[in-house]
Amino acid sequence: MCGIVGYVGYRDAWPIVLKGLKRLEYRGYDSSGIAIINVDGFNVFKKAGKVSVLDDFAKDKDRSGHIAIGHTRWATHGAPSDINSHPHSSNDNRLHIIHNGIIENYLTLKEELINRGHEFKSETDTEVLIHLIEEIQNIEQTDLLEAVRLALNTVIGAYAIVIIDRGNPDQLIAARKGSPLVIGVGNGEYFVASDATPIVEYVKNVIYLKDNEIALIKREELLIKKLDNVIQTPLIQELELKLEALEKGGFEHFMLKEIFEQPRSVKDCMRGRIYPATGKVELGGIKAYADKLKDINRIIIVACGTSWHAGLAGEYLIEEFARVSVEVEYASEFRYRNPIIDEKDIVIAISQSGETADTMAAIEIAKEKGATIFGICNVVGASIPRITHAGVYTHAGPEIGVASTKAFTAQVTVLTMIALYIAQQKGTLTASKLASLLTELEEIPGKIQTLLLDNDLIKEIAAQIKDAGNCLFLGRGSAFPVALEGALKLKEISYIHAEGYPAAEMKHGPIALIDEQMPVVFIATKNSSYEKVISNIQEVKARKGIIIAIVTKGDTEVKKMADYCIEIPDADEAFLPLLATIPLQLLAYHIAVMRGCNVDQPRNLAKSVTVE
Ligand code: G6P
C-alpha cells in the first residue's frame, strides 16, 4: 500500500523514479509525486490520479537532477488530491518526505507543532512527520540523520520513509518499521524502493532494511543504524528477480499473463518438493518441525482476501489427508479476539505479499501465545517470512495484477503439499495412496494448460452475462472456496455484485434473488456432492436463472440443464480448486475487459495492504 522510490547517483534521477513508480503502481494508484534536487534548486511535482498524469504534467518542466524521491499513493489520511499527494515538505520547504504506512499519534503531534508555529497544507499524517523532524533538528541542532532517528523514536505507527534535504543535496535518509524497504546497491549509486521491482534493471545486489533501522545513503556511502543508535553491518543479498517477470510479455494485461502463467507457476511451486516415484513430499522450510507435525491436533490458518480462500481450500485438504482439525480465520478478526491458542498449535499465515498488516498482527498474537507459526508467502524476503518460525514459499513469481490469480493456485499447491507432508508424518495415508495423489498433483500443471484452451469459449460466455447486475457462485465441499474466489474475482475487477455461497445454503436466502436476469455459476464437477448440486441447479432452473456450470469433461447430465458449460479435466475432489478456479478467473477477466474496467488496477483496491 503506497509505493516509494528513491535514487542518488550519477544518472538522471527522474526517469528512474518515474519508471519505478509505474512498476509500483500496483501498491496504490490514486495520486503520485516526485521531488528532485538539481543545481538550480529543487522541484516537487504532485498530481492526483495515476503516475501517467504526473508524467504528462511534468513533461515540459525542469526535471533535471541526480537525486530524487517519488511516491504512488493509496489514500489513508486525506482524500486523493494534489495537496495530499507525497512528497510532503517541512515548514521551511527544505526537507521532503515520502511515506508508506500510518503515523498513529499524528494528531497529538500536529497540535503540538501548530502551537509551535507550524502550518500544514495537507490532511496527512506524513506531513506531520516531516514537520516533527524539522522541529527536532532545529531544537537539537543536530544533523538530519540524528533528527530523523530522534523523531522516529517518538512516533507510534508503521512506516517506510525516504527523505531528501535541499541543504544536503547528496544524501537520502531512509527508515522502516512495519513497511517494506529495499536498498539497491550500485556502483557510485543507490536506489531505495518498497520492493525490488523498480530497481531490478539497474542492480544485482540489494539490502533489505530491517524494522527499526535507519539508513544514510550517499553516492559512495551507506550507513545503517538501529533506532537505538547502534551501527549495523548490512547484509547484501543477490537479487533473484528477473526483469521479464515484471513485463506483460505480449499479453494485454498482467492479470491475463498471470492466469496463463499458472501451468508454470504451479510447477515451479512443486519443483524439488514432490517425488511421486518414491511417494515422498519434502518441504525443507518446515522440515525442522516434522516431529511436531506428527503429534499435531489442531491447525489455525490466518489470512485475508484471496489468501483466506486458499486457507479454506487448505482446511479441506489438511482435514481430508492428514486428519488434523483446521480452523480458518480472517486475520483481521483473529487479531481483535482473545483467541484460544497455545504452544501445541500450529498457525499457518498465508499472504501473497508477505506484508498484510492484519496477517502480521495475527501472527504476533499467536506467537505471544506460544504457537508455532508457518508462513506461506510469495514475495521472498518480505516481512511475514521474517517473523514466522518456518514456512514454504509459493515461488509463483511476481504477481502484478491487483486481483490475485497465480498466487492463489500456488498457495493451494503449497497447502496440498503441506497436507500430504503432515499425512506422511502421521501415517494417515497408505504409501500407495500418497504416491497416487502425488502423481495426480504432478499432472495438475498439464491439466491447467488444457483448461486454458477454453479461453475463447469463456470469452463468449462472458459476452452473454457481462451486463448482469448481480451474480451468484455456488459450490460444495472443496468447491465452496472456489465459489468464493470466483465471486471475489468478478466483483473486484468488474464491479458486478457477486456472492459465493455453499450450494446447499442457497435455499436459505440467495434463492430469493434468482430471476431471469441472474447468472448463477455452479461448480458441478463429478464428485461426492454431484447429485446434490444437480438438485440445486434444478432449483435455479425452475426460477429461470441463467446457469453457467463448471463440469467434469464428458459430463452429460448437467449439460442438459445448464445454459453454458465449461469442462475441466477429471481430478481427485481435493484438487478441484487448482482446476475449477482457472475458468472463473478468465470469466471475471473477460467480463471486466468488456465492461471497460481497469483490470490490473481496480478502483479502491491495492495489492499490498499494509494498513489495518
Ligand atoms: C488485497 C489484495 C488481494 C489479497 C489480499 C491479501 O486485498 O488485493 O488480492 O488477496 O490483499 O493479501 P496478501 O498479500 O496477504 O495475500
Side-chain angles (χ1 to χ4, degrees):
M1 212 158 248
C2 298
I4 64 189
V5 196
Y7 175 78
V8 55
Y10 55 87
R11 308 184 207 221
D12 280 340
W14 178 271
I16 293 172
V17 173
L18 187 81
K19 196 169 177 190
L21 291 183
K22 287 187 175 161
R23 290 250 170 84
L24 287 178
E25 243 184 337
Y26 73 88
R27 301 180 67 90
Y29 33 83
D30 59 41
S31 51
S32 63
I34 294 179
I36 190 158
I37 303 181
N38 57 34
V39 280
D40 300 322
F42 84 110
N43 286 303
V44 181
F45 304 105
K46 313 205 297 185
K47 282 314 270 178
K50 297 204 169 280
V51 178
S52 55
V53 177
L54 176 75
D55 189 9
D56 289 344
F57 170 74
K59 272 215 161 89
D60 51 356
K61 312 208 164 50
D62 178 10
R63 294 160 299 164
S64 61
H66 302 292
I67 178 166
I69 54 175
H71 185 272
T72 177
R73 180 168 186 250
W74 188 90
T76 56
H77 294 66
S81 65
D82 293 357
I83 294 279
N84 286 333
S85 310
H86 299 215
H88 288 286
S89 311
S90 56
N91 218 36
D92 61 6
N93 225 12
R94 179 174 53 90
L95 307 174
H96 307 278
I97 187 171
I98 49 173
H99 168 217
N100 169 25
I102 289 182
I103 304 301
E104 287 169 19
N105 56 338
Y106 83 105
L107 277 176
T108 330
L109 295 168
K110 191 171 183 174
E111 251 170 56
E112 283 169 25
L113 289 162
I114 289 172
N115 290 339
R116 287 173 172 275
H118 286 254
E119 282 176 23
F120 290 92
K121 298 189 183 78
S122 78
E123 301 151 77
T124 65
D125 50 339
T126 308
E127 192 183 10
V128 175
L129 180 56
I130 197 66
H131 281 240
L132 176 70
I133 291 166
E134 174 188 27
E135 182 69 16
I136 290 179
Q137 195 178 11
N138 288 342
I139 292 173
E140 302 289 334
Q141 290 297 303
T142 61
D143 62 19
L144 183 59
L145 182 68
E146 182 60 4
V148 175
R149 192 184 73 79
L150 294 172
L152 294 180
N153 274 304
T154 69
V155 301
I156 301 167
Y159 51 79
I161 54 168
V162 188
I163 298 168
I164 53 173
D165 175 357
R166 285 170 67 190
N168 280 296
D170 61 342
Q171 67 173 37
L172 297 172
I173 291 184
R176 76 157 270 179
K177 183 182 177 194
S179 293
L181 208 55
V182 57
I183 299 174
V185 184
N187 240 336
E189 59 181 349
Y190 283 98
F191 303 75
V192 197
S194 299
D195 65 37
T197 57
I199 60 185
V200 61
E201 62 203 88
Y202 309 107
V203 293
K204 286 205 166 44
N205 292 321
V206 293
I207 297 161
Y208 293 97
L209 211 62
K210 299 195 187 85
D211 271 353
N212 298 314
E213 282 185 348
I214 173 166
L216 172 70
I217 308 166
K218 296 184 175 183
R219 272 181 68 159
E220 304 282 356
E221 185 192 337
L222 175 69
L223 172 74
I224 299 181
K225 287 181 173 190
K226 278 264 176 213
L227 284 189
D228 60 8
N229 219 6
V230 178
I231 294 187
Q232 305 294 299
T233 312
L235 171 67
I236 300 183
Q237 290 173 261
E238 200 173 320
L239 203 55
E240 282 176 14
L241 194 63
K242 297 274 175 301
L243 188 57
E244 312 84 80
L246 305 175
E247 286 166 354
K248 287 190 195 145
F251 286 89
E252 205 183 327
H253 297 100
F254 280 110
M255 182 180 177
L256 190 61
K257 176 190 173 223
E258 286 156 8
I259 293 172
F260 273 81
E261 273 175 351
Q262 288 175 104
R264 187 199 49 72
S265 55
V266 170
K267 201 170 180 174
D268 285 350
C269 179
M270 295 190 291
R271 195 185 307 281
R273 291 170 166 170
I274 64 163
Y275 298 91
T278 53
K280 288 265 175 286
V281 190
E282 304 230 354
L283 294 175
I286 57 170
K287 202 172 166 186
Y289 292 86
D291 283 342
K292 185 171 175 100
L293 288 169
K294 240 181 225 161
D295 302 320
I296 190 76
N297 288 319
R298 191 167 85 120
I299 290 176
I300 294 116
I301 297 179
V302 292
C304 302
T306 288
S307 299
W308 185 79
H309 294 160
L312 288 181
E315 175 182 27
Y316 184 96
L317 288 155
I318 296 171
E319 293 197 342
E320 178 71 11
F321 295 146
R323 308 304 300 149
V324 177
S325 151
V326 178
E327 287 162 36
V328 187
E329 301 259 10
Y330 284 114
S332 52
E333 291 295 319
F334 180 88
R335 66 180 290 192
Y336 285 115
R337 286 211 318 273
N338 184 8
I340 300 168
I341 190 164
D342 60 36
E343 59 284 347
K344 293 193 292 303
D345 296 321
I346 288 182
V347 170
I348 303 180
I350 311 174
S351 174
Q352 187 287 128
S353 62
E355 301 292 346
T356 304
D358 284 323
T359 309
M360 289 187 55
I363 292 171
E364 294 299 354
I365 286 167
K367 249 174 139 178
E368 274 166 30
K369 291 180 180 280
T372 301
I373 324 288
F374 291 173
I376 299 179
C377 292
N378 194 37
V379 177
V380 176
S383 301
I384 290 178
R386 283 176 215 213
I387 59 170
T388 48
H389 296 109
V392 184
Y393 277 116
T394 45
H395 293 315
E399 192 179 65
I400 314 280
V402 166
S404 184
T405 52
K406 65 174 179 171
F408 172 80
T409 43
Q411 289 164 343
V412 176
T413 305
V414 166
L415 286 158
T416 311
M417 294 187 291
I418 289 181
L420 296 174
Y421 186 74
I422 304 173
Q424 180 177 280
Q425 307 311 316
K426 287 178 101 69
T428 48
L429 293 174
T430 63
S432 64
K433 179 70 183 168
L434 184 56
S436 81
L437 286 167
L438 288 173
T439 306
E440 205 175 334
L441 185 59
E442 198 180 38
E443 288 166 0
I444 293 288
K447 290 183 177 175
I448 297 177
Q449 192 72 59
T450 322
L451 262 171
L452 292 169
L453 299 175
D454 277 339
N455 187 33
D456 287 343
L457 165 72
I458 296 167
K459 200 169 172 180
E460 282 166 28
I461 300 172
Q464 301 304 315
I465 60 169
K466 70 174 190 340
D467 297 320
N470 297 286
C471 190
L472 205 54
F473 288 74
L474 302 173
R476 297 183 80 144
S478 66
F480 170 51
V482 177
L484 289 175
E485 181 56 9
L488 178 64
K489 284 296 84 95
L490 186 65
K491 80 178 101 176
E492 65 185 346
I493 60 168
S494 75
Y495 317 139
I496 294 177
H497 169 244
E499 280 191 62
Y501 243 78
E505 281 291 305
M506 175 185 69
K507 56 187 164 299
H508 299 293
I511 200 164
L513 302 170
I514 294 168
D515 60 15
E516 60 280 2
Q517 312 288 333
M518 172 77 125
V520 183
V521 179
F522 277 96
I523 295 100
T525 48
K526 287 237 168 74
N527 56 41
S528 56
S529 47
Y530 181 64
E531 304 297 337
K532 311 258 181 225
V533 173
I534 286 187
S535 306
N536 299 137
I537 294 178
Q538 270 159 348
E539 287 157 14
V540 172
K541 185 108 193 127
R543 286 156 186 88
K544 300 195 170 58
I546 307 161
I547 296 163
I548 299 128
I550 309 289
V551 296
T552 307
K553 197 165 180 50
D555 181 282
T556 50
E557 284 292 293
V558 178
K559 273 192 188 151
K560 286 183 214 148
M561 293 175 266
D563 296 279
Y564 308 101
C565 276
I566 303 164
E567 290 189 334
I568 66 168
D570 195 14
D572 188 286
E573 195 164 346
F575 298 137
L576 193 60
L578 289 175
L579 299 173
T581 310
I582 315 270
L584 303 187
Q585 296 169 343
L586 283 170
L587 189 66
Y589 170 79
H590 289 301
I591 291 175
V593 171
M594 287 168 194
R595 288 167 69 99
C597 300
N598 186 338
V599 172
D600 283 335
Q601 292 169 351
R603 70 183 177 209
N604 304 338
L605 296 175
K607 186 136 193 84
S608 168
V609 182
T610 52
V611 295
E612 65 170 282

